[in-house]
Amino acid sequence: MSSEPRPRGRPRAFHDKTDQNTVQALDRALGLLSTLAAAPGMTLSELADTSGQAVATVYRALVTLQGHAMVELEEPGQVWHIGPGAFRIGSTFLRRTKVVERARGPMDQLMRDSGETANLGVEVGDEVLFLSQVETYQAIRAFFPPGTKAPMHVSGIGKALLAWYPEGRVKAILAARGLERFTSLTNTSESALLRDLARTRERGFAIDDQERADGMRCVAAPIFNAHAEPVAGLSVSGPAFRMGLSEAIRLGTLVRTAADRVTEATGGVRPPN
């Protein structure tokens, strides 16, 4: 067996000079991919206008991405869409952890017990990234398709994670992302948010009380790894007319139990109260 050290993720002469260590064409192509992912489909001219790039430049990038099945062209109307190659590559993110697989059963049970939509999310780049969802059968329901992102300070899962993060990390995230106001109930004061996070730790779950969208509530609890660190969150979301604040407290117990099941199933440890 070879005893040579495994190559590292960057060359030995690497020094963090961002402008010198990026490939401009690749950066632009990935930017187009992100723009396309946020839309139901876009024409070449729409992509060029949105990105501020020349039509010819955008077309070359799209054809290159098309060659890897990252995008595909719908002939009627000449509309570009995200392709199956992007899904295959993106889905490997889910294989980095057992959480998605192990959470499915508890999420399904949580949806049945609560009557509301169950969600699974993690923090990526100081935002909540939703990985999975089990929708309720109710006609009016919350909907967060996998890949949806949300600011942490107005997300039930985001606040559930922040509540168990070290204070220094919390303040760094808030400094980087700010506290944008979405509704009249949004916490836009750092001190108010920190008090909310303290209450979250005390009761064991977070409540998003119409802080991101009027008329929508969410209750969430963290999932912990083997070091008792929060790595993901489970939540239930629904309209405020079904999820009153008194009901949110009851649902908190259900969510906390479901999150603890996933923690245990993945070899995690819940920190002492």
Side-chain angles (χ1 to χ4, degrees):
M1 181 180 295
S2 173
S3 60
E4 293 183 6
R6 184 179 180 182
R8 296 185 180 275
R10 57 172 68 105
R12 290 182 180 179
F14 173 85
H15 295 288
D16 189 17
K17 299 176 182 177
T18 303
D19 292 341
Q20 297 179 20
N21 288 289
T22 58
V23 179
Q24 189 177 62
L26 179 59
D27 186 64
R28 289 176 175 174
L30 291 175
L32 290 172
L33 200 61
S34 296
T35 300
L36 200 56
M42 300 179 74
T43 65
L44 176 62
S45 58
E46 287 172 339
L47 276 166
D49 289 342
T50 302
S51 66
Q53 300 179 45
V55 170
T57 301
V58 173
Y59 181 71
R60 286 195 298 271
L62 290 172
V63 170
T64 302
L65 292 168
Q66 185 181 37
H68 295 273
M70 301 292 285
V71 299
E72 56 187 14
L73 179 63
E74 183 182 3
E75 289 297 340
Q78 296 287 298
V79 177
W80 291 89
H81 298 273
I82 291 294
F87 171 78
R88 285 193 294 270
I89 291 174
S91 64
T92 61
F93 174 79
L94 303 182
R95 296 201 295 270
R96 289 173 51 191
T97 174
K98 299 179 291 183
V99 170
V100 174
E101 177 185 350
R102 300 296 175 87
R104 196 66 186 177
M107 288 175 66
D108 185 69
Q109 189 62 51
L110 179 59
M111 183 277 290
R112 295 177 186 279
D113 290 343
S114 67
E116 302 295 346
T117 296
N119 312 284
L120 173 70
V122 296
E123 182 228 320
V124 175
D126 299 340
E127 293 182 294
V128 174
L129 173 67
F130 290 91
L131 300 181
S132 182
Q133 181 177 73
V134 178
E135 288 189 70
T136 179
Y137 301 120
Q138 299 278 1
I140 300 176
R141 57 188 182 269
F143 181 59
F144 303 99
T148 300
K149 292 183 178 180
M152 296 192 73
H153 73 291
V154 290
S155 160
I157 289 177
K159 292 201 295 180
L161 293 172
L162 289 173
W164 274 270
Y165 279 174
E167 186 174 337
R169 184 175 179 188
V170 173
K171 291 191 173 184
I173 290 173
L174 299 184
R177 291 290 179 174
L179 292 166
E180 181 181 353
R181 180 182 295 279
F182 289 86
T183 74
S184 61
L185 295 174
T186 300
N187 274 322
T188 56
S189 159
E190 181 177 309
S191 59
L193 179 62
L194 292 176
R195 288 194 298 270
D196 187 6
L197 299 182
R199 290 193 296 271
T200 294
R201 286 191 299 273
E202 290 174 3
R203 63 180 173 237
F205 55 88
I207 298 176
D208 161 18
D209 182 17
Q210 306 180 76
E211 294 157 42
R212 174 72 189 278
D214 287 318
M216 191 67 64
R217 286 195 175 99
C218 173
V219 182
I223 296 165
F224 299 96
N225 63 15
H227 303 288
E229 300 166 333
V231 292
L234 277 186
S235 71
V236 288
S237 303
F241 70 82
R242 280 203 308 266
M243 286 181 61
L245 283 178
S246 59
E247 179 68 2
I249 299 300
R250 182 187 73 83
L251 292 175
T253 302
L254 296 177
V255 176
R256 174 72 272 160
T257 299
D260 286 347
R261 285 181 59 195
V262 182
T263 292
E264 182 178 354
T266 54
V269 178
R270 184 179 177 182
N273 292 331

